[in-house]
Amino acid sequence: MTTAATKKNIARAAEVDDELTFVTLDFRGATYTVPDRDSAPMEVLEAESDYEALRLILGEEQWARFRATKPTVGTYRKFNAAVYEAMGEDEAGN
């Protein structure tokens, strides 16, 4: 279910780079850019956990920025769900 706040925070940016499409989302005051579901790296499908998949989706720089916020497990779960929603997936997971 998409909330009004989530819809507000998800800005679909049609940034096309070599046929890859990226979307941006705001989460707790920070902006992240992630690939849409069809532009995500193939390694995401091979990830052995949601945690590993999210790290691959974000890339090392954005992952480090998220980790620097010292998130709780609950915050991680909300962020993970927000990223997958922004990507166009119905739910997190591989």
Side-chain angles (χ1 to χ4, degrees):
M1 170 185 269
T2 303
T3 66
T6 301
K7 284 182 182 177
K8 181 180 175 187
N9 288 336
I10 298 172
R12 293 236 173 247
E15 299 174 14
V16 178
D17 179 52
D18 294 329
E19 299 183 29
L20 300 179
T21 303
F22 295 85
V23 295
T24 59
L25 73 133
D26 293 321
F27 186 81
R28 299 196 174 182
T31 301
Y32 298 89
T33 301
V34 297
D36 74 0
R37 69 183 188 178
D38 292 330
S39 298
M42 182 73 173
E43 291 81 8
V44 170
L45 296 176
E46 299 170 338
E48 294 187 20
S49 68
D50 290 340
Y51 184 86
E52 181 184 348
L54 183 61
R55 187 175 182 159
L56 290 166
I57 290 165
L58 290 175
E60 291 304 318
E61 184 178 311
Q62 291 187 114
W63 179 251
R65 186 163 25 108
F66 174 67
R67 289 296 309 267
T69 68
K70 300 191 184 301
T72 63
V73 170
T75 301
Y76 160 78
R77 288 182 178 152
K78 289 175 186 173
F79 181 59
N80 192 41
V83 168
Y84 275 89
E85 185 175 338
M87 291 175 67
E89 292 287 344
D90 291 334
E91 60 183 62
N94 46 355

